[in-house]
Amino acid sequence: MSISDMNKRHSGKAGGKGMRKTVIVYLALSATAIAIDNIYALFGHGVRSASMSFMFLYPLLGGSLLYFLLGAIRPGMVSVKPYRLGYNLYNSGIATLTTGSFFKGILDIAGTASEYTKIFMLIGLAFAITGLVILIATAIRADKKSFPQAARGL
Amino acid sequence: MRTETTFHPESRPFKSGVCRFLKFGAASLASAALDLTAFTLLLRAFPETAGGIFATTAIARVLSGICNFSINRGWVFRQSGNTKRQVLSYTLLFFAQMLASAQLVWALSALSVSTTVVKAGVDAALFLISYQIQNRWIFRNTAGKKGGTVFIILQRLAKPWRWAGIYAILLTAAFTLALLDAFVIPKAQIAVVEPPAASDIQMESPSQAETPSQTDQIGSESAFLGEEISAALPMEPVITATSYEDENIRIQIETVREHDTTYYVADVQVSDAAYLRTALAQNTFGRNIKDTTSEMASAHNAIFAVNGDYYGFRDKGYVLRNGILYRETVSDSDALLIDYHGNLSVIDQASATGDILQNAWQIFSFGPALVENGAVVVDESSEVSKSKSSNPRTAIGQISELHYIFIVSDGRTGESAGLSLLQLAQAFKERGAVLAYNLDGGGSSTMYFNGEVVNNPTNGRSEKEREVSDIVYIGYE
């Protein structure tokens, strides 16, 4: 690792870049969700479903907004363990919740229901909450690493 | 110079891999047998209380776990390395597998599949996963490598896109399975309650007072008044393109052009409520069991038929057909009840009690009610769920005793826009209906008469008859 890399890592610039990429990917996913809803509406005889219309909120608020805030507050947490575990779990949760919402939308528009919607929501929430807890813990840990004296009350 | 050939097991990886897997299966079976034996023997030593059974189960499991670990370590994977690491990893896997099995079986038991089948599937999948974990991590050759199993698992999954890739595949598979379950996979179910006893039913016609006995097969729509009706078969009905008449049934079909829509009105009079019948697709109650209205009508020699409420597309709402109660879950919509006298009434499903069900010959769960006590009860804003205002429609109404009216409208085409619920209700009221109820519409709407489909069924893209769960028909069988 070069000295400039070490400096970047210390200042959180490398982490900030990683977060920015995640924010952009989530924004693209939100746009895709909106596009899917509108394309589906073309074939739905004018029938819409709130579950499908608002599924873009999961990647937008749960994804882009959260990582934007984390990137702004703790850019250096990307390189702190276990960031990657929390990141993977949380993203899986958001993906499951979005897919579950899409699935419920399809069923709503068709006029039916399925027990699977609950399973999608339960698993999605479990992943998202677990991931979020780990991410928050990592953010706190990153804070202590950045300012060890402050963390020790010195 | 002498050349030595060494036959190491790993020199033939496929064969040794299969052999190892078979050994793993045998070790698992031996452990399961030990678990069962220990449980049976220990059960005699502990009281048969909840705590005793729990203790017995736990001890048996731990014993079988120790046995399984020893066999796998020494015989299946032939490892002798870091015992402490292996014990710790195996213990973690042991509890994770138990927890995963219990949680997955619990979660998947919500599906209408046998719990035994679910448990077998879950345990088979966990067995394969467990083998992979033990083979690759717990009992792998760790010489020259550092870190524990959990560390290695996390390290491998932490590589960019690896987790995302695996999870995306799993999520896509789950989504596909859920869609197939909702729309494709047929699931037959049994009736909740058999037909009521003969003494409990008072039919309109004295000649038709017999009803199926309690010994009739559940789910069979066989023989409600079958023999009597067959005996009353007319010899020479008068049939035209738009009418049918014999001594028991009179049907007149009128085509109306109104509200930029073509709709079809069938005026039906019968001499007995038993001629107003229903049929299920493939004579089976269940989800995703479907047939077209015309095929079902033809199979029952129906003179006239319309699609029913498509009960099989939903999990809730009363379903009672030809006196057999198939489903008694309550949905939000009001239900249509046709009693043994052939009279229609709209009931609140939540208040459907034993007395109401006792007199029910048919119950449909769709709605809403269009006309009640001769007055229109829907307005311009009324709509089915999230449906748009104009659609193909199917509805049934009653003018007087044993005198009914069925309306099916075209829609979603350039020629016909479709009817709103208000327009449909007004059409019933204008024809003197005292009660009318909306059935499943859209692509399901179909009217069948004398072997032909009368309307133009369409899903909005192509003109094709949709397969549905059930029909309402007029006929003798």
Side-chain angles (χ1 to χ4, degrees):
Chain A
M1 186 183 285
S2 68
I3 291 172
S4 68
D5 284 343
M6 289 171 69
N7 288 341
K8 270 186 190 173
R9 188 170 177 169
H10 183 71
S11 66
K13 281 183 183 173
K17 195 178 173 186
M19 292 267 195
R20 199 157 53 240
K21 190 178 165 191
T22 306
V23 170
I24 291 167
V25 169
Y26 267 119
L27 281 175
L29 287 173
S30 304
T32 308
I34 292 168
I36 287 173
D37 175 52
N38 283 291
I39 292 167
Y40 206 91
L42 295 176
F43 302 97
H45 308 295
V47 186
R48 304 293 286 256
S49 159
S51 293
M52 197 184 288
S53 296
F54 295 114
M55 68 177 170
F56 74 95
L57 290 176
Y58 286 111
L60 186 67
L61 300 181
S64 295
L65 182 65
L66 180 90
Y67 285 107
F68 174 78
L69 292 174
L70 287 177
I73 300 166
R74 296 279 181 275
M77 67 182 282
V78 173
S79 53
V80 177
K81 284 176 185 170
Y83 170 78
R84 193 78 203 179
L85 177 66
Y87 178 82
N88 281 336
L89 284 174
Y90 184 74
N91 291 350
S92 301
I94 295 295
T96 309
L97 288 171
T98 311
T99 308
S101 194
F102 180 45
F103 178 62
K104 187 168 187 310
I106 292 174
L107 298 184
D108 283 350
I109 289 169
T112 184
S114 165
E115 292 292 331
Y116 276 107
T117 48
K118 286 180 199 162
I119 295 174
F120 274 112
M121 300 316 272
L122 281 174
I123 293 175
L125 279 174
F127 270 128
I129 290 169
T130 311
L132 191 61
V133 167
I134 295 172
L135 284 176
I136 291 169
T138 312
I140 293 167
R141 202 174 167 195
D143 183 34
K144 287 177 180 172
K145 280 197 169 186
S146 303
F147 306 101
Q149 294 88 350
R152 290 201 301 270
L154 299 173
Chain B
M1 195 170 93
R2 195 177 60 160
T3 306
E4 284 188 10
T5 306
T6 307
F7 289 100
H8 189 270
E10 295 305 321
S11 62
R12 282 182 285 181
F14 179 75
K15 192 177 173 186
S16 68
V18 171
C19 187
R20 195 184 305 132
F21 184 73
L22 291 176
K23 281 180 170 181
F24 182 78
S28 300
L29 279 177
S31 304
L34 176 68
D35 187 9
L36 197 62
T37 310
F39 179 80
T40 311
L41 293 174
L42 287 167
L43 207 54
R44 296 178 183 181
F46 286 90
E48 283 198 35
T49 59
I53 290 172
F54 177 79
T56 310
T57 308
I59 294 170
R61 278 286 161 90
V62 170
L63 282 175
S64 75
I66 293 169
C67 164
N68 190 247
F69 173 80
S70 307
I71 299 174
N72 283 352
R73 184 168 182 267
W75 183 57
V76 180
F77 299 106
R78 294 183 182 282
Q79 288 294 311
S80 56
N82 187 343
T83 311
K84 191 178 164 189
R85 186 188 69 81
Q86 287 169 356
V87 168
L88 182 68
S89 311
Y90 184 87
T91 308
L92 274 175
L93 176 71
F94 182 77
F95 285 110
Q97 193 171 347
M98 258 200 311
L99 197 66
S101 176
Q103 287 296 311
L104 284 171
V105 170
W106 171 78
L108 295 173
S109 63
L111 308 175
S112 41
V113 181
S114 157
T115 310
T116 311
V117 174
V118 168
K119 177 145 179 63
V122 165
D123 283 345
L126 289 175
F127 173 80
L128 295 174
I129 294 168
S130 171
Y131 173 75
Q132 287 297 329
I133 291 173
Q134 293 191 40
N135 188 29
R136 287 168 182 268
W137 288 303
I138 297 178
F139 298 114
R140 81 190 196 288
N141 188 356
T142 55
K145 294 178 184 175
K146 66 171 187 178
T149 304
V150 176
F151 173 77
I152 292 164
I153 294 172
L154 293 178
Q155 200 178 39
R156 288 188 178 209
L157 288 174
K159 287 187 180 175
W161 304 113
R162 185 167 287 191
W163 177 302
I166 293 169
Y167 197 77
I169 292 168
L170 288 174
L171 195 56
T172 307
F175 183 68
T176 309
L177 178 69
L179 281 178
L180 287 173
D181 178 77
F183 295 105
V184 181
I185 300 169
K187 283 177 284 185
Q189 294 153 346
I190 59 166
V192 177
V193 176
E194 293 179 39
S199 57
D200 295 334
I201 300 166
Q202 296 173 346
M203 291 297 295
E204 186 69 18
S205 166
S207 67
Q208 295 170 343
E210 289 183 21
T211 61
S213 69
Q214 292 285 358
T215 54
D216 280 352
Q217 189 182 355
I218 291 176
S220 163
E221 291 182 18
S222 61
F224 187 68
L225 308 173
E227 287 182 14
E228 285 72 19
I229 290 169
S230 297
L233 267 175
M235 295 307 292
E236 287 184 13
V238 179
I239 305 171
T240 70
T242 57
S243 68
Y244 176 99
E245 186 165 0
D246 62 34
E247 59 261 51
N248 296 311
I249 297 170
R250 191 176 76 79
I251 300 168
Q252 184 74 43
I253 294 182
E254 176 193 6
T255 303
V256 180
R257 182 75 188 170
E258 200 176 26
H259 308 301
D260 198 24
T261 300
T262 302
Y263 63 91
Y264 310 87
V265 182
D267 187 297
V268 176
Q269 281 183 281
V270 291
S271 63
D272 192 285
Y275 302 126
L276 174 59
R277 302 180 67 82
T278 54
L280 306 180
Q282 301 167 35
N283 290 323
T284 304
F285 174 76
R287 186 166 180 137
N288 293 325
I289 296 172
K290 300 179 287 186
D291 225 335
T292 59
T293 298
S294 58
E295 283 171 351
M296 277 187 267
S298 176
H300 289 84
N301 287 328
I303 300 160
F304 169 87
V306 295
N307 60 290
D309 64 0
Y310 205 164
Y311 73 84
F313 206 51
R314 297 171 300 279
D315 294 322
K316 290 184 179 173
Y318 271 86
V319 180
L320 188 148
R321 300 300 156 84
N322 300 336
I324 301 170
L325 179 60
Y326 289 98
R327 192 168 72 192
E328 55 181 349
T329 53
V330 175
S331 73
D332 296 335
S333 62
D334 286 339
L336 174 71
L337 183 148
I338 305 176
D339 65 21
Y340 281 96
H341 301 283
N343 292 322
L344 276 58
S345 58
V346 174
I347 58 165
D348 176 7
Q349 296 202 29
S351 65
T353 59
D355 288 346
I356 292 173
L357 296 176
Q358 199 69 24
N359 294 319
W361 169 230
Q362 319 280 353
I363 295 182
F364 301 92
S365 300
F366 202 88
L370 303 168
V371 175
E372 283 185 89
N373 300 319
V376 171
V377 291
V378 288
D379 56 35
E380 287 176 355
S381 64
S382 299
E383 205 32 83
V384 177
S385 186
K386 300 166 186 68
S387 177
K388 67 176 185 177
S389 59
S390 294
N391 267 310
R393 304 279 185 188
T394 300
I396 179 175
Q398 184 175 15
I399 293 174
S400 59
E401 197 172 351
L402 300 175
H403 187 183
Y404 308 99
I405 187 165
F406 294 84
I407 295 181
V408 170
S409 81
D410 286 342
R412 294 179 180 172
T413 65
E415 292 174 359
S416 289
L419 295 181
S420 70
L421 287 178
L422 180 60
Q423 290 164 344
L424 186 63
Q426 284 166 340
F428 274 100
K429 187 172 183 292
E430 285 164 11
R431 287 162 179 80
V434 290
L435 189 142
Y437 184 85
N438 184 51
L439 294 170
D440 186 27
S444 303
S445 284
T446 308
M447 182 183 280
Y448 170 97
F449 177 65
N450 273 339
E452 301 287 336
V453 174
V454 176
N455 66 318
N456 300 295
T458 177
N459 59 10
R461 292 181 289 281
S462 59
E463 290 208 357
K464 187 183 168 190
E465 211 185 327
R466 178 192 279 174
E467 291 186 330
V468 292
S469 303
D470 57 322
I471 59 169
V472 186
Y473 73 94
I474 304 294
Y476 288 98
E477 293 180 15

